[in-house]
Amino acid sequence: MRLGHGVRLGPGKIRLLEAIDDTGSISAAARSMGMSYRRAWLLVDSINQAMAEPVVESHSGGARGGGARLTPGGHEIIRLYKAMEEKALQAVATELDALGALARAPD
């Protein structure tokens, strides 16, 4: 799906936001997804730039290093995306069942 400024939002970015929420860190979230910190940071920055308010806030420094957290808007983006995804799956349930019936049985 496209957001403002041509930014796309899909399952990968949603997983990244969830990983940041779980780990409290962009770098730890990136590692958990097998991507570079730079790539994760660029994705977060693109989402933040597309929204009226940031969805991830980060802080640096301190004895234990920096961290990141989702804002209420970040949590809302995840909630809305998951709701849309569920509605889409419900809308195509009949077709998914029909495709499944055409699939080869597992060996």
Side-chain angles (χ1 to χ4, degrees):
M1 126 177 53
R2 283 186 185 252
L3 303 175
H5 309 289
V7 173
R8 295 177 187 264
L9 184 64
K13 287 180 182 173
I14 294 299
R15 280 195 310 271
L16 178 59
L17 293 178
E18 290 173 323
I20 291 168
D21 194 37
D22 291 343
T23 64
S25 162
I26 295 172
S27 61
R31 278 191 304 276
S32 77
M33 295 180 69
M35 75 171 62
S36 71
Y37 169 80
R38 177 167 168 68
R39 176 76 177 139
W41 188 90
L42 289 171
L43 291 171
V44 167
D45 188 54
S46 73
I47 300 168
N48 277 345
Q49 294 298 320
M51 297 298 166
E53 295 183 15
V55 299
V56 175
E57 293 178 337
S58 60
H59 57 278
S60 60
R64 293 184 289 161
R69 70 174 190 86
L70 294 187
T71 65
H75 288 285
E76 183 68 356
I77 285 172
I78 292 171
R79 186 192 71 74
L80 289 169
Y81 187 87
K82 296 284 186 178
M84 290 174 10
E85 190 174 55
E86 181 61 31
K87 285 181 182 180
L89 286 173
Q90 289 173 6
V92 298
T94 302
E95 290 80 4
L96 285 174
D97 288 343
L99 283 172
L102 296 172
R104 180 181 301 188
D107 293 332

